[in-house]
Amino acid sequence: MIRGENLEKEIEYTLRDYWEIFYRRRIVLVISSAAILLVSVLYVLFLMQLKYKATAVVVVGSPNIQVKTVEEGAVKEEYEAKNELELMQSNIIANRVISLLNESEAYKRDISQDDIIRMLRFDLKIRSNIIEISATSPDPQEAFLVVKFLIDAYIQETNEHRKKIIKDAYDSLSSQLSAKRVELEAAERKLTKFVLDNEIIAKGIEVGKVTEEGKEETTTGESDINNKYLQLKSQRINLEAFLEEVKSHRQKDQITALSIISKKEEGLVDLTLRDQLYEKERALSKLLLTQSEVHPDAIEAQGEVEEAKKKIDVELDRAIESLEIAVAHLKREEEKLRSLIKEGLSEKMVEYSGLLRDVDVKKSIYNSFISQLQQLDVVEKVERVPALKVLKAPELPTKPLHGKLFGLLIGFIISIVGGIAAAFVVESIDISVRSIEDVEDILGLSVLTSIPLYKGYIPAEQSAEAVDERRAKCELGLITVRHPQSIISESFKHLRVNIEFLQAGKNIKTIVVTSPAPQEGKSSVSINLAMAMAKAGKNVILIDCDLRRPTLHRYFNLDNSKGLTNFLVDNGPPETVTINDTEEEKLRLITSGPIPPNPNELLGSDRLEKIITYLKAKCDTVILDAPPVLAVSDSLILASKTDAVILVFFANKTAKRAASRTALLVNNVKGNILGVVLNGVETAPGSYYYKYDYYAEKK
């Protein structure tokens, strides 16, 4: 299964994986770390300023100031730690600090509001009003003065603010008090004029007098009659409204009417009748669950419900009748008092009572304002108590907050972290196939073997000419012949063994070796795989099917004038194809022949199938070196005509999407992908291949 759309699947890394990443990106890591460290050292030695820190600890808060007014509500100020912290951090306090610094003889430097705010730090302790204030500056005197003047500026600002609140409240109360005094005097003059004009006292009908306790006490019967009349009238109106409400609810629901009467006039009705009705209705409902409505038991239960409702009707009739009687009684009593009032000075007495109440109300309001003004006198004294208490006064710092050694240490740590981060960034943006895990976990393809990156196998006793010759031959892809004990040769042996296991029980005799793009080592893989099989005793025929850029004849120093294209163009039998012997006894080679103008059509012809069938009968395995899949479609034609396909990916070069696309295209033509050869794997110290390579050299 190919997971081409799941290239970003997360892989669980081990410590060895991280070490291999660091080794693979060691140049990036070293350069990044060195650059960051150099910049850090230069900054610390030449640009870094030593910082001094002055600290003070304060407690904010004072008694709450709260002044209430009748018309404007409450004037209130609360000292809460969060609010005070915001005030300390505000531009207002910063400007005050600047003013105090300018006035100080110990400070002669210009400073801005932003500088003040940038210097200061505030730490509000959890669940407390304690605030730690600190200022950091290259100048220890400046740090000390900023903290000291900030406390002074805060006290000045809060005191002025509190004074303004008290003054505003005092002015508001004073103006309202004057207005209420005028209203009270007007009401008293009106009451006095009414008494004199109507000669109420002269006629001996004084309404009331003041007792020793300060309460008004009625001394004549006229006032009692008037009050009684008003009470009876109010009771009658309320009772009539209640009676109408009961009648209205009774038309809708008897139970509701019964409940309303019981709540208003306790004892007037029997509420047990309601409970009895509920009980009989529940019994009827329960009976109807099992019986029909015409059943004798159901009819009897229905009769009991109706009887309970009739009892409630009777009870409601009796209660309403009682209420109507009470209303009629109140009306009669009201008429009696009305007659008595008409005979005396009742109307004047009612007016007099109203004027007197008006005077009392205005006097109460006036006294309330006087009381609030008296409270302000107390507030003025409380205002003198500071809203801030200093627990720890600031001191002039004598040692820097951090020395240059600390800066160098931080720079070193940042350089290490930065180098590691740079290595991981480069690693993360690298879209190439890097390891076996990338192929198996991300692309979902099995890896037949991984071939280490070739860095030259140069024995110390060889001369320069011999070295150049040996390196040239190794670069021709014959490393299994030149260095049979090398780790790369062992990798091709490993590839041969894996293919033999995959061939077991299957008729796999023709294998196409291809890659996504050029320069990924497919030809050297084809040659060395063929060599490894031949050395194992198998008859192998290697065919150069890259009819556009053939290379195999160069590796073996053979003439390419006759080869595969000659057979595909001619009409001769398969026996006429030119098969070349090589230095390996059991390995033979068919070169590509002259480059044709139409390689795609030639490879898609029936003649290719005939030669493949012919060669399968003459040897154990046929290996076809094919052109890159993404460059041309020749390899896809070959994949559809052969038994298996081996894909060659070059580590840190082949893009993951290119690899995935290659596998997808081969699968689309129903090609049988045996697996992947991961070429050019860089071996880090400590890895398996590094250790094996060391072992192989010692052998």
Side-chain angles (χ1 to χ4, degrees):
M1 177 181 178
I2 298 167
R3 305 174 202 152
E5 302 300 326
N6 192 24
L7 297 181
E8 297 183 4
K9 176 182 176 182
E10 293 186 0
I11 301 174
E12 183 178 350
Y13 287 97
T14 64
L15 291 177
R16 174 168 289 181
D17 295 326
Y18 286 117
W19 166 247
E20 290 181 356
I21 291 174
F22 295 152
Y23 183 79
R24 185 163 53 246
R25 306 298 177 187
R26 60 190 179 278
I27 296 177
V28 174
L29 192 152
V30 171
I31 293 176
S32 301
S33 298
I36 296 173
L37 182 59
L38 178 61
V39 172
S40 300
V41 171
L42 292 176
Y43 174 79
V44 170
L45 295 180
F46 300 104
L47 298 177
M48 177 180 172
Q49 290 182 324
L50 297 178
K51 297 294 184 71
Y52 294 85
K53 181 178 180 181
T55 305
V57 180
V58 299
V59 177
V60 295
S62 70
N64 288 346
I65 298 175
Q66 182 174 346
V67 179
K68 293 184 179 179
T69 62
V70 174
E71 295 181 356
E72 297 181 2
V75 177
K76 184 178 181 181
E77 180 176 353
E78 292 183 356
Y79 288 90
E80 299 177 356
K82 291 184 179 179
N83 296 337
E84 299 312 305
L85 182 58
E86 291 181 4
L87 176 61
M88 290 181 183
Q89 296 171 332
S90 67
N91 295 336
I92 298 174
I93 298 298
N95 290 331
R96 281 186 177 271
V97 172
I98 293 173
S99 299
L100 292 173
L101 287 171
N102 293 334
E103 295 172 2
S104 173
E105 296 181 356
Y107 189 80
K108 300 299 180 183
R109 190 172 74 87
D110 292 334
I111 191 169
S112 66
Q113 183 184 102
D114 292 337
D115 293 335
I116 294 292
I117 295 175
R118 192 163 43 247
M119 263 192 246
L120 289 167
R121 293 291 182 272
F122 301 90
D123 181 18
L124 175 60
K125 304 304 180 182
I126 299 175
R127 295 182 180 177
S128 72
N129 286 356
I130 298 176
I131 300 177
E132 182 181 279
I133 307 169
S134 61
T136 305
S137 171
D139 182 2
Q141 181 74 11
E142 183 180 60
F144 166 72
L145 291 177
V146 166
V147 176
K148 178 179 180 297
F149 288 153
L150 181 131
I151 296 173
D152 296 341
Y154 170 81
I155 293 174
Q156 292 176 8
E157 178 65 26
T158 53
N159 286 343
E160 290 180 6
H161 180 62
R162 294 162 71 189
K163 287 178 181 178
K164 184 178 180 302
I165 288 179
I166 294 171
K167 184 179 180 301
D168 291 343
Y170 190 88
D171 293 343
S172 175
L173 287 174
S174 297
S175 62
Q176 293 183 62
L177 182 62
S178 299
K180 298 306 177 184
R181 183 186 297 110
V182 172
E183 292 177 5
L184 177 59
E185 291 174 352
E188 289 177 339
R189 284 195 298 271
K190 188 175 181 181
L191 176 62
T192 302
K193 184 176 181 300
F194 179 81
V195 171
L196 295 176
D197 290 346
N198 293 278
E199 300 179 350
I200 294 176
I201 298 176
K203 293 180 180 180
I205 313 178
E206 183 180 0
V207 174
K209 66 179 181 180
V210 179
T211 63
E212 293 180 357
E213 290 78 10
K215 297 182 180 180
E216 186 178 321
E217 179 181 62
T218 302
T219 59
T220 65
E222 185 68 20
S223 181
D224 289 339
I225 293 173
N226 183 64
N227 292 335
K228 184 66 175 176
Y229 168 74
L230 293 175
Q231 292 176 3
L232 289 175
K233 184 177 180 180
S234 176
Q235 291 177 9
R236 190 256 306 166
I237 292 172
N238 292 335
L239 194 57
E240 285 179 344
F242 176 66
L243 182 60
E244 290 301 322
E245 182 184 4
V246 171
K247 290 180 178 180
S248 174
H249 281 291
R250 183 183 183 184
Q251 294 176 358
K252 300 176 183 178
D253 185 12
Q254 294 175 328
I255 302 301
T256 303
L258 193 69
S259 300
I260 290 173
I261 294 173
S262 175
K263 186 181 294 184
K264 182 74 174 179
E265 299 290 339
E266 188 176 356
L268 187 60
V269 293
D270 185 6
L271 278 181
T272 58
L273 297 176
R274 179 187 63 185
D275 299 336
Q276 293 174 6
L277 175 61
Y278 286 161
E279 184 178 353
K280 294 184 182 301
E281 286 180 341
R282 284 195 296 270
L284 176 60
S285 299
K286 184 176 180 180
L287 188 61
L288 290 177
L289 293 175
T290 57
Q291 305 293 341
S292 65
E293 293 182 356
V294 297
H295 192 274
D297 293 342
I299 295 174
E300 181 181 355
Q302 184 65 38
E304 292 178 356
V305 170
E306 294 298 328
E307 182 65 24
K309 289 182 179 180
K310 288 179 182 179
K311 289 182 180 179
I312 291 175
D313 274 339
V314 172
E315 186 70 10
L316 287 174
D317 290 339
R318 185 185 62 77
I320 291 173
E321 183 179 357
S322 299
L323 292 174
E324 290 175 344
I325 292 173
V327 170
H329 175 72
L330 289 174
K331 284 183 178 180
R332 289 194 298 271
E333 293 296 322
E334 185 182 340
E335 288 299 324
K336 289 179 183 179
L337 292 177
R338 186 189 297 275
S339 300
L340 293 174
I341 290 172
K342 286 182 179 180
E343 295 176 358
L345 298 175
S346 58
E347 294 180 1
K348 292 181 180 180
M349 296 304 301
V350 170
E351 185 176 356
Y352 177 85
S353 299
L355 292 172
L356 185 60
R357 281 195 297 271
D358 187 42
V359 170
D360 291 339
V361 170
K362 287 180 169 55
K363 186 181 295 184
S364 175
I365 294 173
Y366 180 76
N367 291 333
S368 173
F369 276 92
I370 292 176
S371 175
Q372 291 180 52
L373 283 173
Q374 291 173 349
Q375 291 180 17
L376 283 179
D377 292 336
V378 177
V379 169
E380 285 180 334
K381 296 178 181 178
V382 174
E383 181 268 341
R384 298 188 185 96
V385 178
L388 177 145
K389 182 179 180 181
V390 179
L391 297 181
K392 177 181 178 295
E395 298 177 354
L396 182 67
T398 57
K399 294 182 179 180
L401 189 60
H402 300 297
K404 291 195 174 184
L405 182 60
F406 178 80
L408 292 173
L409 177 61
I410 295 298
F412 175 75
I413 294 174
I414 292 175
S415 68
I416 297 299
V417 174
I420 293 174
F424 275 106
V425 168
V426 173
E427 183 77 8
S428 64
I429 63 177
D430 185 0
I431 61 172
S432 63
V433 176
R434 299 189 295 267
S435 63
I436 294 175
E437 289 75 14
D438 285 349
V439 177
E440 293 182 342
D441 295 341
I442 298 178
L443 299 177
L445 299 173
S446 61
V447 176
L448 299 175
T449 190
S450 61
I451 301 174
L453 180 66
Y454 175 70
K455 300 179 182 179
Y457 187 83
I458 307 171
E461 65 273 7
Q462 296 294 326
S463 64
E465 290 78 15
V467 167
D468 291 339
E469 182 181 359
R470 183 178 294 277
R471 179 173 294 162
K473 290 182 179 180
C474 289
E475 290 174 353
L476 291 178
L478 300 177
I479 195 169
T480 53
V481 177
R482 310 306 178 195
H483 305 290
Q485 299 300 321
S486 70
I487 184 172
I488 298 179
S489 298
E490 293 296 331
S491 297
F492 283 108
K493 294 176 184 178
H494 186 195
L495 174 61
R496 171 183 58 80
V497 171
N498 282 339
I499 293 175
E500 289 176 354
F501 274 107
L502 292 173
Q503 287 177 324
K506 300 178 182 178
N507 188 22
I508 298 177
K509 299 194 69 176
T510 55
I511 301 172
V512 172
V513 179
T514 185
S515 62
Q519 304 299 318
E520 293 185 320
K522 63 176 182 59
S523 296
S524 61
V525 170
S526 301
I527 295 171
N528 286 289
L529 173 60
M531 285 285 188
M533 287 184 170
K535 286 180 177 295
K538 288 191 175 183
N539 291 315
V540 181
I541 296 178
L542 178 62
I543 307 176
D544 191 348
C545 292
D546 191 345
L547 304 184
R548 301 171 191 268
R549 296 183 63 183
T551 58
L552 295 189
H553 63 282
R554 297 174 186 170
Y555 285 91
F556 293 93
N557 296 320
L558 295 175
D559 180 27
N560 196 32
S561 60
K562 291 185 179 182
L564 180 63
T565 55
N566 301 96
F567 170 78
L568 296 177
V569 172
D570 298 336
N571 293 323
E575 292 81 3
T576 61
V577 67
T578 302
I579 303 178
N580 301 286
D581 292 329
T582 67
E583 58 186 270
E584 183 62 41
E585 180 181 357
K586 292 184 177 293
L587 173 61
R588 289 174 291 173
L589 173 66
I590 299 177
T591 61
S592 64
I595 298 176
N598 56 344
N600 193 274
E601 287 77 5
L602 291 179
L603 294 176
S605 65
D606 295 337
R607 302 265 310 158
L608 179 66
E609 295 181 3
K610 290 181 180 179
I611 189 62
I612 290 176
T613 303
Y614 170 73
L615 294 176
K616 287 169 66 174
K618 290 183 67 65
C619 66
D620 297 318
T621 303
V622 179
I623 298 176
L624 295 84
D625 180 27
V629 174
L630 300 183
V632 291
S633 60
D634 301 0
S635 296
L636 299 179
I637 296 173
L638 295 172
S640 65
K641 295 177 181 293
T642 53
D643 299 331
V645 177
I646 294 176
L647 301 178
V648 179
F649 298 157
F650 202 93
N652 299 311
K653 179 180 179 181
T654 303
K656 294 175 183 176
R657 293 193 180 278
S660 175
R661 181 66 180 169
T662 299
L664 183 63
L665 292 174
V666 173
N667 280 335
N668 287 343
V669 298
K670 302 189 182 309
N672 177 26
I673 300 177
L674 279 183
V676 173
V677 173
L678 187 59
N679 192 17
V681 177
E682 189 172 3
T683 55
S687 68
Y688 166 77
Y689 282 116
Y690 185 86
K691 295 176 181 177
Y692 187 88
D693 193 28
Y694 174 82
Y695 170 74
E697 290 179 6
K698 291 299 181 184
K699 288 198 299 186

